[in-house]
Amino acid sequence: MDKRVALFIPCFVDQMQPQVGLDTVKVLRRLSFQVEYPEDQTCCGQPAFNTGQWDSARPCAEHFVNVFKAFSQIVCPSGSCTSMVRTHYPELLKQSVLHEEAVAVGSRTFELSEFLVRVAGVSDVGAEFRHSVTYHPSCHATRELGIYDEPISLLQKVKGLDLRLMPNANECCGFGGMFSTKFGMVSSAMAETKIANIEATQAEYVTAVDPSCLMHLDGVLRFQKHTPKVIHLASILASEASL
Amino acid sequence: MSRLAEEFLVAAAQKSADLTHRATIKRNIDSYDAAVAKGKMRFVDWEAARARAAQVKSEGMHSLGPLLESFEAKIKARGGHVYWAENSEDARQYICDVAKKHDVKTVVKSKSMVTEEIHLSPALEKLGIKVWETDLGELIVQLRNEPPYHIVTPAMHLTREQIRDLFLEKMPSDVQGETHQELVAAARRFLRRAFFSAEMGISGANFLVADAGMVAISTNEGNGRLTTSLPKIHVVVTGIEKVIPRLEDLGVMWPVLATTGTGQPITTYSTLIGGPKTADEVDGPEEFHVVLVDNGRTEVLADKAQQELLRCIRCGACLNQCPVYRQVGGHTYKSTYPGPIGSALMPIFQGQQDYGHLSYACSLCTACNSVCPVKIKLSDHLLENRHKYVAEGNAKTSEKIGFSFFRWMAMNRSRYEFFGWAGRKALRVALGMGVKPEQLGPLAKWTKYRAVPEVPKESFRALWKKENGNGNR
Amino acid sequence: MAIANSGRERILERIRKAEVPQNPAIDWAIVSSDQIFEPITDPLQHFLAECEANLTEVKVTRDGKSSQNALAELLSAVPAGTVYVQDDPRLRHLADAFVGREVIWSSAGRAPEDCQATVTLCEALVAQTGSIVSSSRDGGRGGSIIPPTHIVYATSTQIVPDITTALRNAMESDLKNASYFGLITGSSRTADIEKILVQGAHGPRKVAIVLEIQ
């Protein structure tokens, strides 16, 4: 199989959660992938698109397509950003000269767990993480990309990991992009409902494939002084000894 | 921001903090979820059922004109009247005229969202007519003088105790106990007097069957049957989009509607009405009217991107699934139709300027898409509404500027890197100096409910460059 | 009297102008009803099981005499008061069951508000959901909704497997000319108070069928 991958690091991961990016690289290299990072990438345009500002989103999307069109496999540690490219670019760039190219790039863009399990055919990535962990199935990864089992398969193969499934897992965490600040109280209340489900498992950590969900949950968890900690799936998979 | 948007924010914040409300809604919806899960097992292939239901409604939309004409012809052949109302006022006027002509004093009403949409009851009451809601949930909210909370279960937000106290106040002589059973019996006694004395019964319609020329009404309580059987005049108020091609299509539509509506195999009374009583029948209304309401539906039909919204069969599944609805409840929307379908339709029916905020009150979780029995991609319509909202010039100036700036910045990697670095630097310095979260400008909205995030010194790309140089490995 | 309805043409014109594709651009195969529900191999058994689930009492009988007895038994549980009966030879034939009861036949008019029970025939029985197909010709519209108890006299030959079949039959028969017909499945009920299901709302609290095997 093609062992070259291009990294698509979401803008806010790049700026605010660089460790998630580094851990993604670590996991891919451990599996002998040659990792490239197209440095011209900036933002895929999702925030503008979700807010209805499509005139601002389109140029970002076209820029993305131009940056990544030369690459045969694009991997991203985020379900929502991957979904933006795969699910929404075709509609957003309907009238653009880059429309066909966008559809093609989308078909080659994968969220990390789906890349590892479906494309690379691997679920044991040689990780070790001796903690109890519960999994939050992010909305875009599941309902838009159909990624249900892959993160679970990967977590089940992590040495020493005690995986616990939370009740009502499919309910949204409440982030929703600009929704989190436009409707802060509702967003926070939704997080509270999610946190109650997390705490029902008594797990030390909650993980997900979406760093935006985790950023939001982390904020509420610490604000309300709850015990569980957040960790991105990539960071668990990158772990090689108990922390 | 429109006044309605401001009110929404206040109401939403209030409801989100109300833990009793949250618990009540959770209990109700858990019960619904369990019933629906059981109900879906009656289908060999639930996805096939959804596909078929979506197909039936699509066919209805595709041939809407001829199907409505076929329906109308059959109703008229049986001696019924069909009136095509362009808007709320047109519909109200027609119904009020019929009521006036027949000197109607009392009206009994079974469930109809369209009658709420056109604000019918106040118009009838202005004529001195007493209007009784006969669906139990609707009766309860009518007696409390508040709008329905949910399109299928209007009094979902109330406890038995609250309902008992309400009945003791409004119908004391009919109340003989306070159990659920006894409260229902009280309502039966109370409404029976209205059923048997009303001159006019008003109902909605779940489907309009084109080939048979009949109105299909699905109920459980029996109020719909009494409303459409006892009074001299029966008026059906319905949106034009309710039409389906064939009577036998109900073989799928009835079970699907009942499953996602309440988890039942079929509602107790799956009724078909074609006209007034015939000469040889022993009872039934002498006059039958069907009011076909447009009120913006043809506009939706004409919009290629959003016409699928007319497939909606008003089952309420999207409301029940919506995590936002579960927090803020039905009243917060201040619209005839709450929840995802309401947030999709109201800005189109009533204007993006006043109702566009509903489309933004959504985390785009797409749970609604996955439960809709007629496969409407509701979240796509909310995104499309947001697009229209902005395109029509309703977005805040600060937001427009913010995104224009972001776009400019994102077009050039050096610009992006610079502003990313500068933003983080400024934030770290400010936090280091003891600036409080509330003083962080736009970030204050984030930190109102969340702890301040740790701000990294270096971005991923900076760290990557350090490790890998300018090449790749 | 024709009422002016100028909006009609305008609405139809707007509908005509709208372009609505035959099959929307969504990926689904054409689905037939057979792919959706389990085929019913033993309609009678299935019907009885569904009735048990939806709390419709069914008394299975083998001839006119036992049907009469079953009907009498059901009526013995009905409180004192009038019984409204559909005026049909098949029910006149069961007259012995009404001994001791004040009977009002449907030929006299609509079911009275305070009748304690009605006895009617039906158009069909649906195995899929344990439903009764009733029409305005079976004791009027009121016969199946006014009383607290509704009793139906039916035969096993009236059972059809599913709703689709029942509706197809209706289109092909005179039933489509009745001003009302419909499916009745169990007794009236509501869950509008705290989502707790209560049997018996505005319609009958009890529905029973005397089912004669023929």
Side-chain angles (χ1 to χ4, degrees):
Chain A
M1 80 160 286
D2 186 354
K3 295 299 273 187
R4 288 167 308 164
V5 299
L7 276 179
F8 162 22
I9 300 294
C11 58
F12 70 94
V13 169
D14 174 34
Q15 296 293 322
M16 296 296 284
Q17 298 178 40
Q19 193 60 43
V20 170
L22 295 173
D23 290 333
T24 304
V25 174
K26 188 166 170 192
V27 173
L28 289 166
R29 281 188 179 152
R30 204 196 286 140
L31 297 172
S32 307
F33 282 96
Q34 185 195 330
V35 182
E36 308 178 55
Y37 176 65
E39 290 177 0
D40 280 333
Q41 65 183 282
T42 55
C43 170
C44 70
Q46 188 182 182
F49 176 70
N50 282 353
T51 313
Q53 301 272 359
W54 291 10
D55 286 344
S56 291
R58 265 183 218 106
C60 296
E62 287 176 334
H63 179 78
F64 180 97
V65 172
N66 281 324
V67 168
F68 281 97
K69 66 187 179 202
F71 298 95
S72 56
Q73 288 175 140
I74 303 151
V75 179
C76 175
S78 161
S80 71
C81 305
T82 305
S83 191
M84 178 66 201
V85 174
R86 221 154 74 202
T87 315
H88 296 290
Y89 271 14
E91 176 63 29
L92 179 63
L93 297 179
K94 213 165 40 172
Q95 314 272 8
S96 164
V97 296
L98 289 175
H99 178 252
E100 251 178 75
E101 194 79 71
V103 174
V105 167
S107 68
R108 306 195 298 267
T109 305
F110 305 98
E111 178 274 328
L112 177 64
S113 74
E114 75 172 334
F115 179 77
L116 292 173
V117 175
R118 279 197 232 153
V119 180
V122 172
S123 41
D124 187 341
V125 301
E128 183 174 337
F129 189 73
R130 299 192 173 277
H131 296 277
S132 52
V133 178
T134 185
Y135 172 64
H136 161 63
S138 304
C139 298
H140 290 103
T142 51
R143 286 185 278 271
E144 287 197 343
L145 298 175
I147 299 169
Y148 290 93
D149 302 326
E150 294 80 351
I152 305 278
S153 308
L154 291 162
L155 288 166
Q156 280 171 337
K157 290 289 198 307
V158 176
K159 270 215 280 293
L161 191 149
D162 170 12
L163 180 61
R164 304 177 186 183
L165 300 178
M166 68 171 92
N168 291 332
N170 290 311
E171 218 176 294
C172 178
C173 70
F175 175 64
M178 297 293 283
F179 173 81
S180 60
T181 51
K182 283 191 179 198
F183 298 93
M185 192 61 203
V186 186
S187 172
S188 171
M190 287 161 74
E192 283 175 11
T193 300
K194 175 62 67 175
I195 289 169
N197 288 325
I198 293 170
E199 292 191 315
T201 68
Q202 298 188 312
E204 294 167 72
Y205 286 91
V206 55
T207 191
V209 302
D210 248 312
S212 42
C213 303
L214 294 173
M215 186 171 68
H216 161 69
L217 284 173
D218 179 57
V220 181
L221 281 163
R222 286 188 296 117
F223 190 80
Q224 296 189 1
K225 305 208 189 336
H226 293 276
T227 325
K229 298 187 282 254
V230 309
I231 183 167
H232 190 276
L233 179 69
S235 303
I236 291 180
L237 298 179
S239 297
E240 274 155 5
S242 20
L243 291 169
Chain B
M1 209 193 309
S2 71
R3 186 186 52 85
L4 284 167
E6 279 169 29
E7 289 175 6
F8 181 92
L9 274 173
V10 171
Q14 217 166 32
K15 268 295 185 310
S16 302
D18 184 343
L19 296 178
T20 310
H21 171 264
R22 201 186 291 182
T24 305
I25 299 314
K26 180 169 178 7
R27 210 179 37 242
N28 277 304
I29 292 186
D30 281 352
S31 164
Y32 164 88
D33 281 346
V36 173
K38 208 163 143 221
K40 285 184 182 169
M41 297 199 300
R42 295 180 64 97
F43 295 84
V44 154
D45 186 349
W46 171 248
E47 290 305 315
R50 287 178 79 205
R52 183 79 194 117
Q55 274 170 1
V56 167
K57 289 292 302 193
S58 287
E59 262 189 82
M61 293 307 100
H62 174 69
S63 313
L64 187 59
L67 289 175
L68 280 171
E69 287 180 291
S70 161
F71 169 81
E72 175 192 43
K74 299 228 162 57
I75 298 280
K76 283 172 130 165
R78 289 198 202 90
H81 305 270
V82 177
Y83 184 78
W84 303 59
E86 289 188 271
N87 51 46
S88 297
E89 203 200 308
D90 196 8
R92 285 197 303 262
Q93 191 64 53
Y94 178 81
I95 299 165
C96 285
D97 285 348
V98 174
K100 276 193 288 211
K101 174 159 163 245
H102 292 278
D103 202 24
V104 169
K105 302 271 189 306
T106 311
V107 164
V108 283
K109 241 183 110 249
S110 72
K111 199 104 158 63
S112 163
M113 297 307 301
V114 180
T115 56
E116 321 246 355
E117 185 188 319
I118 66 171
H119 308 293
L120 179 60
S121 293
L124 290 169
E125 279 158 3
K126 262 218 195 97
L127 299 175
I129 297 171
K130 179 69 197 159
V131 180
W132 286 112
E133 293 289 343
T134 64
D135 172 286
L136 181 58
E138 295 280 351
L139 172 68
I140 290 168
V141 297
Q142 178 185 32
L143 292 173
R144 281 171 59 100
N145 217 357
E146 65 186 18
Y149 184 89
H150 185 282
I151 65 178
V152 174
T153 317
M156 197 198 247
H157 56 308
L158 300 171
T159 63
R160 182 187 54 86
E161 288 82 2
Q162 284 172 299
I163 294 167
R164 171 203 65 200
D165 293 343
L166 176 71
F167 282 8
L168 283 171
E169 191 200 322
K170 302 283 184 179
M171 51 177 94
S173 55
D174 294 305
V175 181
Q176 288 174 12
E178 59 172 291
T179 64
H180 296 87
Q181 192 87 40
E182 283 159 339
L183 291 174
V184 173
R188 180 194 169 100
R189 275 175 218 113
F190 179 72
L191 283 176
R192 213 153 164 90
R193 296 191 286 276
F195 283 128
F196 280 90
S197 64
E199 296 93 355
M200 180 190 267
I202 298 178
S203 78
N206 295 96
F207 304 102
L208 303 174
V209 184
D211 67 351
M214 300 189 101
V215 174
I217 301 170
S218 291
T219 63
N220 279 310
E221 296 175 24
N223 63 311
R225 292 284 320 281
L226 291 170
T227 298
T228 59
S229 303
L230 298 177
K232 263 190 349 242
I233 307 158
H234 174 202
V235 177
V236 177
V237 189
T238 173
I240 53 175
E241 84 283 16
K242 294 292 177 76
V243 79
I244 58 173
R246 296 157 297 264
L247 185 65
E248 64 179 73
D249 291 332
L250 292 173
V252 168
M253 302 310 293
W254 272 341
V256 164
L257 173 62
T259 301
T260 53
T262 52
Q264 294 172 282
I266 188 173
T267 57
T268 305
Y269 301 104
S270 302
T271 297
L272 290 155
I273 295 177
K277 70 182 281 297
T278 61
D280 58 329
E281 290 171 0
V282 304
D283 62 8
E286 284 154 32
E287 234 181 77
F288 180 64
H289 300 256
V290 180
V291 181
L292 298 171
V293 178
D294 180 352
N295 207 27
R297 285 156 175 78
T298 45
E299 223 178 280
V300 179
L301 190 70
D303 185 336
K304 275 240 175 70
Q306 308 212 270
Q307 63 195 196
E308 70 164 14
L309 285 168
L310 295 178
R311 290 207 291 263
C312 176
I313 59 175
R314 305 286 193 263
C315 71
C318 61
L319 275 68
N320 292 332
Q321 216 59 42
C322 178
V324 172
Y325 182 90
R326 289 178 180 190
Q327 295 295 343
V328 307
H331 289 155
T332 306
Y333 292 77
K334 284 223 171 70
S335 64
T336 309
Y337 306 102
I341 187 63
S343 297
L345 283 175
M346 294 304 290
I348 304 174
F349 280 165
Q350 303 279 7
Q352 297 288 345
Q353 190 177 30
D354 284 335
Y355 283 89
H357 61 283
L358 292 180
S359 297
Y360 282 93
C362 157
S363 64
L364 295 174
C365 82
T366 75
C368 47
N369 298 3
S370 61
V371 296
C372 176
V374 288
K375 300 185 84 135
I376 302 173
K377 291 196 104 181
L378 286 152
S379 61
D380 280 359
H381 297 286
L382 297 177
L383 281 168
E384 177 65 27
N385 279 353
R386 295 181 188 188
H387 173 218
K388 284 188 176 145
Y389 182 86
V390 169
E392 287 171 22
N394 294 302
K396 279 205 291 236
T397 315
S398 55
E399 187 182 280
K400 277 198 298 236
I401 293 175
F403 279 107
S404 293
F405 170 76
F406 189 88
R407 177 193 65 218
W408 172 80
M409 187 189 65
M411 288 298 89
N412 177 292
R413 152 238 178 132
S414 312
R415 277 201 292 256
Y416 164 89
E417 286 175 6
F418 171 74
F419 282 104
W421 171 85
R424 271 181 295 111
K425 182 91 182 162
L427 193 50
R428 277 205 328 274
V429 166
L431 291 173
M433 284 188 345
V435 170
K436 296 244 172 30
E438 310 88 83
Q439 298 165 302
L440 288 172
L443 285 186
K445 279 199 175 149
W446 177 265
T447 54
K448 191 164 175 196
Y449 302 103
R450 301 169 195 84
V452 180
E454 236 180 81
V455 187
K457 274 223 189 85
E458 291 176 290
S459 62
F460 168 81
R461 58 185 62 214
L463 293 164
W464 167 274
K465 253 214 244 318
K466 257 200 196 148
E467 230 189 80
N468 303 288
N470 276 318
N472 294 300
R473 224 197 305 139
Chain C
M1 182 196 85
I3 293 179
N5 192 188
S6 54
R8 181 181 183 280
E9 257 323 296
R10 286 193 289 273
I11 293 173
L12 280 169
E13 186 54 33
R14 286 199 289 271
I15 293 173
R16 272 177 220 124
K17 278 220 184 78
E19 282 171 50
V20 184
Q22 174 80 23
N23 268 317
I26 295 179
D27 178 31
W28 63 46
I30 301 297
V31 177
S32 74
S33 303
D34 318 334
Q35 295 168 245
I36 298 167
F37 298 110
E38 199 79 64
I40 291 167
T41 46
D42 187 344
L44 173 59
Q45 283 316 312
H46 199 107
F47 179 75
L48 293 174
E50 288 293 333
C51 283
E52 200 180 317
N54 71 40
L55 307 178
T56 301
E57 183 177 348
V58 182
K59 287 201 177 300
V60 178
T61 64
R62 46 188 156 67
D63 55 27
K65 188 85 182 100
S66 50
S67 291
Q68 201 162 247
N69 291 340
L71 182 52
E73 209 183 307
L74 286 168
L75 286 171
S76 67
V78 172
T82 57
V83 176
Y84 176 85
V85 185
Q86 178 180 352
D87 201 342
D88 182 280
R90 286 165 284 183
L91 290 172
R92 288 266 181 197
H93 196 63
L94 300 177
D96 281 357
F98 305 121
V99 165
R101 303 279 341 197
E102 190 193 334
V103 171
I104 298 180
W105 293 95
S106 65
S107 38
R110 190 203 69 197
E113 183 182 338
D114 59 357
C115 68
Q116 289 299 320
T118 58
V119 182
T120 73
L121 302 175
C122 67
E123 305 294 331
L125 299 172
V126 182
Q128 180 187 355
T129 43
S131 307
I132 298 161
V133 181
S134 184
S135 83
S136 42
R137 292 158 182 190
D138 302 311
R141 298 189 191 194
S144 55
I145 197 66
I146 288 175
T149 299
H150 176 211
I151 302 168
V152 171
Y153 173 53
T155 66
S156 57
T157 54
Q158 288 185 285
I159 298 175
V160 300
D162 52 43
I163 303 169
T164 306
T165 307
L167 295 172
R168 279 198 188 125
N169 291 349
M171 278 307 279
E172 284 160 20
S173 73
D174 193 39
L175 183 54
K176 67 176 178 298
N177 298 321
S179 72
Y180 152 77
F181 77 91
L183 264 61
I184 294 174
T185 311
S187 62
S188 68
R189 69 199 53 188
T190 180
D192 270 354
I193 301 179
E194 295 187 326
K195 279 260 186 245
I196 303 285
L197 190 62
V198 170
Q199 300 287 346
H202 301 290
R205 169 115 178 239
K206 182 176 164 87
V207 178
I209 303 174
V210 173
L211 181 61
E212 194 173 299
I213 308 293
Q214 284 181 359

